[in-house]
Amino acid sequence: MNKFIKTFTVVLAIGAATSILAQSTTGDEKKINSLIKKMTIEEKVHMIHANSSFTSAGVPRLGIPELVTSDGPHGVRSEHGRVWSDAKNVNDSGTYLPVGVALTATWNPTLGIAYGEVLGSEAKYRGKNVILGPGINIMRSPLNGRNFEYQSEDPFLISKMVVGYIKGVQSQGVSACVKHFMANNAEVDRGTVDVQMSERALREIYLPGFKAAVIDAGVNTIMGAYNKFRGQYCTHNEYLVNKIVKGEWSFKGALMSDWGAVHNTMEAIFNGTDLEMGSDIGKPALSFPNFYLGDTVVGLVKSGKAPESIIDDKVRRILRVLYKSSAFSKTSPGEYGSEAHIAVAKKVAEESIVLLKNENNILPLNLNKLKSIAVIGANADRKNSMAGGSSQVKALYEVTPLEGLKKLAKNVVFNYAEGYKIKRDAVATPEMIAGAVDAAKKSDVAIVVGGWTHGYSNSWSDNVFDAEGVDKPNMKMPFGQDELIKAVVAANPNTIVVLLGGGAIDMSQWVGNAKGILETWYGGMEGGTALAEVLFGKLNPSGKLPVTFPKVLEDAPAHKLGDFPGKNGVVVYREGIFVGYRYFDTYKVEPQFAFGHGLSYTTFFYKDLKITKGENNSVKATFTVTNTGKVAGAEVAQLYIHKEKSAIERADKELKGFEKVFLLPNETKTITINLDKAAFQYFNETKNAWDMEAGGYSIQIGGSSRSIQLKAGVNL
Ligand code: BGC
């Protein structure tokens, strides 16, 4: 038996045991098996590779339709037709939701569900079976060009947010596709780089989000990443796919490749790739029938080099996805760009804005007193929906920050200055700075809108910082924005800096002098409206950072302890489990803004932490939060655990629970967070299993990882 056949037998055995169960409980499994019996090997093989840019073949003779996919992850992508050319005369302008990191910055899992429902419903309307999202790769470095699509540096927060998103999508009869499995934490070299990390980092940091997607959310499809993991491409990685996903997690759906991520036929056949996606780029050798899982597989089966049962397993998984994704019966048509969907986009934008700094309560701005506002920065009037690469969305409309401000402050004079040119390596010229200073001087307040920019897919060599296929060269503000902000702050002390982008940017040159700072990510079609409402106090900000903002790049653990992007095709995650705040808190490095940080226009008081021990090392924590200020607001109460006197290397604290509470002035609510034993476990590499240290733990509660208000001990 060759090595491939041996491993596959194990997976098949596990699959068979569970699919027997499924057969007796669902009629679909019976239908699927009967369809497979009627199919020729050629028909089966057509189903396991792409037949156009976003589809794979069905079997018309048996009434099996094509499987139709679409990006994802924050809107249904504009139509690219079957051969990657923009489709004409189609209705493909829909809801543009805030990007992934913005959703997570709400720390509101209920919004995750609403967000997923919008995507599912719009995908269904557009005739898609699968929406290619959510993207949940860990934000390991601030430089990853795709962080904006992802969620967080923290596996627990990802796990909680991703479940809502997936359930929301799948409740509409459309499949979600969690991506990019695994360790696609940088874009440069993504197609070749080999990621090396410890088993503990894998289990504690990089896998939990995917595990929650499979086990807690029941995701129907997974996308294998471009990169390698421990020497083998992720999409046909024996350990990751066969052993973990299909073995340990009993995943029953389909694992598809990223576009062009398959590199080897035998590995793809035997190591769990169910569907090879990619582009037919016109050359015969790269045409769809010549894909790794193309016609060649027919010959391999006929000559006995690959058992037909293994192809049946892939087809069975794809058919399951089709059955679960309205391919055979469509119960409702879905909705597109509806008012209800736009309301969700707005709500997510509202709750995603993070107020980083608010010296002397410069915010909210009082519209009754303001006569003039300087709005400075090219980002203030730039649309982002079609930028970023494959996640581009043709938005029905998009309110820019400047438009949002003007709409809400009708009686105010706006003095706009472009401030900088969005062009890589551009600097703010003296003339542009002078224009901005002039606008700032003659206005009551100055709002600089800056930060990172998305690039447009037709000019990837230009303007690109937050986009697929590129990483940022460093964490410094591009286009001469540091000089600009310093000059504006000097001209008008009432300056507020509004940042756009997929994450941290080096603010060290002006952070001490700007009175107000907000992070708004890329806020979707209503991002400008939500920003204006926050600035003018119609809305109280409640977003919290899902990722640490370091002061300078050198402080980020991937750069301090590990490799980024890697050397000679290999990247070693030497920082291990010390990702994000786990590093900053344990190594006592002061971040610019801590994980979980986010201010409000009101104040919150935490009290009365009580810890109760339950059975099997479970723990219940209850405490109260009171709104002690004058306006209604929401607080994200966060629970971290800390192991006292640990015998092993551990992070100083780990997020294990959170709840977002909405409180009127003087209102108090009691919060209960239940922790099961998994909350206290670590992955023991010697035993190769989850393990628990006995002894004392401290339960720490607060409004951020660096603002702990209550502590109590528990012995386990
Ligand atoms: C991206 C995926 C995307 C796919 C299809 C790839 O380049 O990495 O996230 O879903 O293209 O557009």
Side-chain angles (χ1 to χ4, degrees):
M1 211 190 284
N2 75 26
K3 73 170 172 162
F4 291 114
I5 296 197
K6 202 164 125 221
T7 28
F8 182 70
T9 322
V10 176
V11 174
L12 212 57
I14 298 166
T18 36
S19 67
I20 287 165
L21 188 73
Q23 270 174 34
S24 58
T25 51
T26 78
D28 288 351
E29 284 297 314
K30 274 193 185 152
K31 290 183 210 153
I32 288 170
N33 284 334
S34 122
L35 283 171
I36 292 174
K37 283 201 191 104
K38 293 179 194 144
M39 287 165 70
T40 65
I41 183 63
E42 286 79 6
E43 286 168 336
K44 291 174 186 173
V45 170
H46 284 161
M47 285 188 70
I48 64 169
H49 64 83
N51 71 341
S52 88
S53 45
F54 283 99
T55 60
S56 57
V59 184
R61 171 180 82 81
L62 298 174
I64 302 173
E66 286 183 330
L67 179 75
V68 186
T69 71
S70 170
D71 288 301
H74 43 257
V76 185
R77 189 176 180 174
S78 49
E79 281 310 321
H80 276 79
R82 301 187 70 87
V83 287
W84 293 98
S85 54
D86 282 328
K88 304 275 181 295
N89 305 321
V90 286
N91 176 14
D92 61 352
S93 307
T95 303
Y96 164 42
L97 292 151
V99 297
V101 63
L103 173 63
T104 310
T106 68
W107 291 62
N108 185 344
T110 312
L111 283 183
I113 300 175
Y115 188 105
E117 285 168 353
V118 169
L119 282 169
S121 168
E122 302 219 341
K124 196 168 181 188
Y125 181 94
R126 294 255 308 267
K128 317 294 182 191
N129 307 117
V130 181
I131 187 96
L132 303 171
I136 64 162
N137 293 83
I138 289 283
M139 293 182 183
R140 175 176 176 254
S141 157
L143 300 189
N144 180 9
R146 242 176 147 175
N147 279 345
F148 73 95
E149 278 188 64
Y150 297 149
Q151 320 267 309
S152 174
E153 66 190 21
D154 182 76
F156 182 83
L157 180 56
I158 295 174
S159 303
K160 291 295 156 204
M161 294 305 294
V162 85
V163 170
Y165 179 122
I166 293 168
K167 285 192 169 167
V169 169
Q170 298 193 165
S171 72
Q172 304 301 301
V174 166
S175 290
C177 179
V178 67
K179 67 188 188 183
H180 307 87
F181 186 71
M182 234 284 304
N184 184 178
N185 307 106
E187 287 295 290
V188 170
D189 298 339
R190 67 178 178 176
T192 50
V193 74
D194 180 21
V195 176
Q196 302 281 341
M197 68 172 79
S198 69
E199 190 64 17
R200 189 166 169 208
L202 174 71
R203 299 284 176 167
E204 291 188 20
I205 307 292
Y206 293 90
L207 284 183
F210 288 101
K211 188 175 177 185
V214 171
I215 292 173
D216 301 339
V219 74
N220 293 336
T221 74
I222 301 176
M223 185 188 290
Y226 281 121
N227 51 288
K228 293 179 194 159
F229 176 77
R230 296 185 187 155
Q232 196 167 46
Y233 276 104
C234 288
T235 306
H236 33 84
N237 189 293
E238 156 64 17
Y239 186 62
L240 292 177
V241 182
N242 279 350
K243 168 132 193 335
I244 295 178
V245 175
K246 295 188 176 177
E248 290 178 24
W249 301 347
S250 305
F251 175 63
K252 298 292 174 314
L255 184 128
M256 72 177 80
S257 72
D258 201 337
W259 269 232
V262 173
H263 296 271
N264 181 304
T265 296
M266 289 308 260
E267 284 188 7
I269 291 178
F270 287 96
N271 293 352
T273 319
D274 299 312
L275 173 58
E276 179 186 8
M277 295 304 288
S279 311
D280 180 336
I281 49 180
K283 297 181 187 152
L286 298 167
S287 65
F288 295 122
N290 289 335
F291 270 26
Y292 290 96
L293 288 182
D295 291 350
T296 179
V297 177
V298 174
L300 289 169
V301 170
K302 285 190 174 162
S303 63
K305 294 200 177 80
E308 188 156 352
S309 58
I310 209 166
I311 309 303
D312 289 353
D313 180 67
K314 298 179 197 303
V315 170
R316 180 174 294 113
R317 288 167 181 275
I318 294 167
L319 283 167
R320 280 188 191 130
V321 175
L322 283 165
Y323 269 98
K324 288 186 173 168
S325 317
S326 312
F328 293 98
S329 63
K330 209 172 172 183
T331 45
S332 73
E335 265 179 37
Y336 196 53
S338 64
E339 269 177 41
H341 289 184
I342 293 169
V344 172
K346 166 119 189 305
K347 185 88 187 116
V348 175
E350 289 173 358
E351 290 196 30
S352 74
I353 294 174
V354 184
L355 178 59
L356 295 172
K357 182 177 174 188
N358 195 15
E359 198 176 305
N360 302 335
N361 292 329
I362 186 170
L363 291 170
L365 300 171
N366 186 341
L367 269 181
N368 297 324
K369 291 193 185 147
L370 276 183
K371 294 201 173 53
S372 53
I373 302 178
V375 176
I376 296 160
N379 261 352
D381 206 22
R382 181 176 161 92
K383 294 198 194 320
N384 289 299
S385 63
M386 281 298 280
S390 58
S391 62
Q392 58 182 226
V393 177
K394 209 182 274 177
L396 210 51
Y397 64 84
E398 181 180 347
V399 181
T400 66
L402 185 61
E403 287 167 3
L405 287 162
K406 284 186 172 167
K407 215 169 51 184
L408 215 63
K410 294 224 162 51
N411 300 323
V412 169
V413 173
F414 281 90
N415 299 309
Y416 174 70
E418 194 184 9
Y420 54 88
K421 284 270 177 231
I422 296 180
K423 192 145 186 61
R424 185 164 264 189
D425 300 329
V427 291
T429 60
E431 296 74 36
M432 296 195 93
I433 291 184
V437 164
D438 183 49
K441 274 193 177 151
K442 64 182 184 213
S443 307
D444 296 335
V445 294
I447 300 172
V448 181
V449 186
W452 298 114
T453 54
H454 264 335
Y456 297 113
S457 58
N458 56 0
S459 60
W460 277 21
S461 56
D462 211 12
N463 313 338
V464 184
F465 293 93
D466 283 315
E468 190 183 334
V470 292
D471 295 318
K472 297 165 187 121
N474 54 54
M475 221 175 84
K476 303 252 187 248
M477 290 196 100
F479 322 131
Q481 292 181 75
D482 282 322
E483 295 310 314
L484 174 79
I485 297 173
K486 283 191 284 184
V488 172
V489 171
N492 188 334
N494 293 324
T495 294
I496 293 140
V497 178
V498 173
L499 296 166
L500 268 73
I505 201 158
D506 184 335
M507 309 174 201
S508 52
Q509 293 195 42
W510 47 266
V511 67
N513 299 327
K515 284 193 186 157
I517 308 176
L518 294 119
E519 175 57 63
T520 66
W521 321 106
Y522 297 104
M525 64 201 294
E526 284 286 354
T529 317
L531 170 66
E533 290 182 355
V534 165
L535 289 171
F536 297 130
K538 262 190 82 177
L539 254 177
N540 191 350
S542 65
K544 299 269 187 175
L545 289 184
V547 59
T548 308
F549 279 18
K551 286 187 172 162
V552 290
L553 181 65
E554 295 69 41
D555 285 348
H559 299 265
K560 188 94 179 176
L561 306 177
D563 285 342
F564 191 96
K567 289 178 200 82
N568 306 322
V570 179
V571 55
V572 186
Y573 288 16
R574 236 174 283 109
E575 71 282 6
I577 58 166
F578 295 105
V579 175
Y581 68 92
R582 284 171 168 76
Y583 166 78
F584 285 86
D585 290 357
T586 313
Y587 285 71
K588 313 232 172 315
V589 178
E590 200 58 37
Q592 188 68 67
F593 293 108
F595 175 81
H597 170 74
L599 303 170
S600 164
Y601 296 152
T602 189
T603 44
F604 300 101
F605 187 69
Y606 287 75
K607 223 175 115 185
D608 288 339
L609 173 60
K610 291 189 192 71
I611 302 291
T612 329
K613 264 171 70 172
E615 277 176 19
N616 197 13
N617 286 323
S618 63
V619 168
K620 182 166 96 177
T622 60
F623 53 96
T624 63
V625 183
T626 305
N627 180 345
T628 47
K630 293 197 178 63
V631 289
E635 169 71 329
V636 179
Q638 300 158 42
L639 182 153
Y640 296 85
I641 63 147
H642 163 84
K643 175 76 185 78
E644 314 280 6
K645 298 199 192 83
S646 176
I648 53 155
E649 196 176 44
R650 272 187 101 125
D652 179 68
K653 58 170 94 67
E654 295 169 71
L655 181 77
K656 295 295 173 182
F658 63 88
E659 190 165 322
K660 188 163 194 171
V661 269
F662 295 82
L663 295 166
L664 296 170
N666 295 319
E667 195 184 3
T668 299
K669 277 190 185 158
T670 302
I671 297 178
T672 302
I673 295 179
N674 290 305
L675 304 171
D676 60 13
K677 77 166 189 244
F680 302 94
Q681 288 179 323
Y682 72 100
F683 194 82
N684 184 328
E685 290 188 333
T686 318
K687 293 185 187 165
N688 199 28
W690 289 95
D691 202 357
M692 177 141 163
E693 277 190 291
Y697 289 81
S698 149
I699 308 291
Q700 311 190 347
I701 313 281
S704 88
S705 59
R706 291 271 171 144
S707 155
I708 298 301
Q709 305 296 321
L710 305 169
K711 280 187 189 178
V714 61
N715 257 302
L716 297 175

